[in-house]
Amino acid sequence: MRSPKLAVLVLPGGTDFSYKPFSRTQPSAMRMYPFSLSIQARFGTAVRVHQATYRVYGWNGGQASPMPYARSALDQLKQRYLDTPIALVGHSMGGRIVAQLGADEQVSDILALAPWWQFADWRQIHDGARVLAIHGENDTLTRPRRTEKGIEELRARGLDADFISVPDGGHAMLDHVGLWHGRALDFVGDALGR
């Protein structure tokens, strides 16, 4: 099988504190399947898409419970597709995860969808990454202004970083579906064209 031009790791959201087992059928995981499927369908063999799973549903403070599973998923992609750029797509808690995984030099592109950025998570992203954050103006679970601040800081550091505000958009991305998904597909297309 021919190597892809880009590997894509999709990281679903979760919650602040919970030891409930993560399930592939919980809403946060299911919310990301349309992204995974549309990226694979649009770009075919040029990409390989993998959607991560975690052991539990919560971040759980300093335990950062999903991080070992997310890092393992990234490491597996790196081993499978040596020297292939990796794009990360994460929603909510998954947006926090992609910022932290963004320290890895093989990560070329980061798409953060309504990210739950805490404690300047974005500062971990390496200087060579391209970053796009999309956030709904009416999100009450995560903070669009903090996301915009993070992008401004990344841009000031010299990164190719952009912020898109979704007018009247909420956290679940169930509004303006064409915008959320269209921008995600454009983002992956731009990553392939670099």
Side-chain angles (χ1 to χ4, degrees), residues 119-171:
F119 314 113
D121 291 302
W122 60 83
R123 292 182 182 161
Q124 298 182 52
I125 298 171
H126 73 84
D127 289 342
R130 181 176 66 107
V131 183
L132 174 62
I134 306 174
H135 215 133
E137 289 177 357
N138 292 345
D139 191 335
T140 58
L141 294 178
T142 57
R143 298 183 178 159
R145 182 61 195 119
R146 182 179 289 166
T147 300
E148 190 173 15
K149 176 184 180 234
I151 292 296
E152 288 168 359
E153 189 177 306
L154 290 171
R155 200 178 295 134
R157 246 177 61 198
L159 275 75
D160 179 355
D162 201 8
F163 175 79
I164 296 173
S165 181
V166 180
D168 303 318
H171 186 71

Side-chain angles (χ1 to χ4, degrees), residues 35 38-39 42-43 111 113 132 134 164 176-190:
F35 287 92
S38 64
I39 291 167
R42 168 75 60 91
F43 301 107
L111 175 57
L113 303 166
L132 174 62
I134 306 174
I164 296 173
H176 307 285
V177 172
L179 188 154
W180 293 99
H181 287 268
R183 292 299 182 136
L185 291 170
D186 291 346
F187 182 79
V188 173
D190 290 346

Side-chain angles (χ1 to χ4, degrees), residues 21-179:
F22 186 88
S23 164
R24 293 176 190 265
T25 59
Q26 70 193 40
S28 62
M30 294 184 71
R31 186 173 293 125
M32 297 310 290
Y33 293 139
F35 287 92
S36 297
L37 294 170
S38 64
I39 291 167
Q40 192 66 69
R42 168 75 60 91
F43 301 107
T45 59
V47 301
R48 294 290 185 281
V49 181
H50 175 76
Q51 186 161 320
T53 59
Y54 322 120
R55 187 178 66 79
V56 297
Y57 183 56
W59 183 267
N60 302 316
Q63 293 177 38
S65 296
M67 288 308 299
Y69 302 92
R71 280 200 179 93
S72 176
L74 177 61
D75 288 343
Q76 288 174 30
L77 284 181
K78 289 172 61 174
Q79 291 170 9
R80 192 175 303 146
Y81 307 115
L82 299 174
D83 303 320
T84 298
I86 298 173
L88 305 177
V89 177
H91 174 250
S92 190
M93 184 179 77
R96 186 175 192 187
I97 294 167
V98 300
Q100 294 195 19
L101 292 179
D104 191 294
E105 295 287 332
Q106 198 168 334
V107 172
S108 57
D109 302 87
I110 295 170
L111 175 57
L113 303 166
W116 177 43
W117 280 353
Q118 298 284 84
F119 314 113
D121 291 302
W122 60 83
R123 292 182 182 161
Q124 298 182 52
I125 298 171
H126 73 84
D127 289 342
R130 181 176 66 107
V131 183
L132 174 62
I134 306 174
H135 215 133
E137 289 177 357
N138 292 345
D139 191 335
T140 58
L141 294 178
T142 57
R143 298 183 178 159
R145 182 61 195 119
R146 182 179 289 166
T147 300
E148 190 173 15
K149 176 184 180 234
I151 292 296
E152 288 168 359
E153 189 177 306
L154 290 171
R155 200 178 295 134
R157 246 177 61 198
L159 275 75
D160 179 355
D162 201 8
F163 175 79
I164 296 173
S165 181
V166 180
D168 303 318
H171 186 71
M173 305 183 300
L174 299 175
D175 46 54
H176 307 285
V177 172
L179 188 154

